Amino acid sequence: MASHDCEHRNPINIDIPLHPALTVNVAAAEVSSNMTFLLTEFGKPFTANGFGNKFKDWCRQADLPHCVRKATSTALAESRATPHEIMAVTGH
């Protein structure tokens, strides 16, 4: 996955660990030349901001509080993720 360094906006590669159940589903997915798994309603890959906005919409629709991000951050910290890894996963 490519992310952005906040200071210089140079793309950097990051590894985000997957939940075992998600790993099984990703492995079973049909592989194509486009390895994007989450697409917009128009079949295009999300931008970082677009995905963040859509995720907020999904959380509102599911009646999930913002604390989902906090819970994710806590779980990552407890599994010894570095601060930069946590920031990359949570979009900070």
Side-chain angles (χ1 to χ4, degrees):
M1 172 179 191
S3 185
H4 289 285
D5 174 343
C6 291
E7 187 176 336
H8 302 291
R9 294 286 186 214
N10 295 324
I12 58 173
N13 290 323
I14 60 172
D15 290 318
I16 300 174
L18 296 178
H19 186 279
L22 180 57
T23 301
V24 169
N25 286 310
V26 169
E30 188 175 316
V31 177
S32 69
S33 61
N34 183 353
M35 293 299 292
T36 303
F37 292 96
L38 296 173
L39 301 173
T40 68
E41 60 194 80
F42 304 106
K44 304 283 184 185
F46 281 98
T47 63
N49 287 338
F51 181 75
N53 291 333
K54 189 62 175 176
F55 192 80
K56 286 178 193 172
D57 289 344
W58 289 330
C59 287
R60 281 190 210 109
Q61 291 171 10
D63 200 26
L64 293 173
H66 175 74
C67 64
V68 171
R69 180 185 269 181
K70 183 177 178 182
T72 300
S73 300
T74 301
L76 288 167
E78 289 173 349
S79 66
R80 297 185 169 198
T82 68
H84 284 95
E85 289 170 333
I86 295 169
M87 291 175 2
V89 172
T90 60
H92 283 98

